[in-house]
Amino acid sequence: MSDHSDGHVRFELTGNIAEIILDRPQKHNALTPEMYRQIADSCREANETAAAHAVIVRGAGTRAFCAGSDIKALEGYEDFWAWRNRSDYIPPLLEMRKPSIAAVKGWALGGGLEIALACDLRVVATSSVFAAPEVALGWNGAGGAAQHLTRMCGYGFAMKYLLTGDRFTAQEADRAGMIEWLVEDGEEVSKAQEVAAKIAHHSTVATQAVKSSVRRAMDLTTRQGLQNENELMSLCFAKRELAKLMAL
């Protein structure tokens, strides 16, 4: 097991499974600008670590996955331009080549909801609570909640919770199609590890090809998507052929 600790975000590798851990439990893992950079660095480390075949994203402590951005920390931006050009954490999560699984417990609010939505799969404890409260603060979320909730759960569901800022339960999220595994409290990490181990058992070329195919399916036409899938499958075959040649 390797452990890289950098401030309030930890990167750990156990076997073929990496974990990105938001580690500020005394503040419910609320995000600071420095944590934005650390999450991006951890995503790059996951991509560059050949042994990492799957990635779990979780929060430390017992009460929260992530309570969103620390509002007080946001006051540190000099002006709107500094905010616009900040180091962001959602694009690195979306661009991570390895399959990612969010293990969610407790609060997943604002940026915490966005992190969970940016992962490929979600394992969620039954008592978890979600919300996009930004509208009540006078702004909209900028980390993909509108994009992902609309695609996963539909227009009405996205509008309902993004316009009101109301909280919604894990059960509501599950019925809307936002959750892949709904588990008892305390089982979210072990279930995420079980799923990650199954994914990690497969060829890394195959799992990354599948992830690329599905991600791009949301942006391409059907014809373009089929062409993309064919090219990726060719790469998988090329790896198999190379493995045979190396075995000679």
Side-chain angles (χ1 to χ4, degrees), residues 78-247:
E78 182 179 351
D79 53 27
F80 76 91
W81 194 250
W83 164 259
R84 179 192 181 277
N85 296 315
R86 73 195 181 283
S87 296
D88 203 354
Y89 53 93
I90 294 298
L93 283 165
L94 292 173
E95 292 161 11
M96 190 160 52
R97 294 189 299 274
K98 314 297 175 69
S100 59
I101 305 161
V104 179
K105 63 176 179 300
W107 295 338
L109 313 178
L113 170 63
E114 291 169 338
I115 289 173
L117 292 171
C119 290
D120 301 312
L121 298 166
R122 281 147 295 279
V123 179
V124 178
T126 55
S127 66
S128 298
V129 177
F130 300 92
E134 291 88 349
V135 69
L137 300 172
W139 60 79
N140 65 292
Q147 310 305 312
H148 295 124
L149 279 180
T150 303
R151 288 175 167 86
M152 290 180 192
C153 306
Y155 181 90
F157 187 92
M159 282 296 195
K160 177 179 179 179
Y161 289 108
L162 294 178
L163 284 175
T164 64
D166 289 347
R167 296 183 178 186
F168 56 99
T169 66
Q171 291 73 21
E172 290 174 283
D174 186 43
R175 289 194 295 270
M178 199 186 96
I179 294 172
E180 284 68 50
W181 291 273
L182 186 63
V183 299
E184 294 300 320
D185 290 357
E187 296 179 4
E188 65 281 350
V189 175
S190 60
K191 181 62 178 180
Q193 290 170 337
E194 176 190 326
V195 175
K198 186 168 188 178
I199 293 170
H201 180 72
H202 300 313
S203 157
T204 56
V205 174
T207 57
Q208 290 181 46
V210 168
K211 174 169 179 170
S212 176
S213 295
V214 176
R215 285 284 185 183
R216 297 202 67 194
M218 293 186 286
D219 299 318
L220 301 177
T221 65
T222 301
R223 184 179 294 276
Q224 291 169 330
L226 286 169
Q227 182 178 1
N228 179 59
E229 288 179 29
N230 188 61
E231 296 299 327
L232 290 169
M233 189 170 180
S234 298
L235 287 175
C236 294
F237 282 156
K239 182 179 182 295
R240 293 177 63 186
E241 291 300 317
L242 179 60
K244 289 178 184 178
L245 288 172
M246 293 178 67

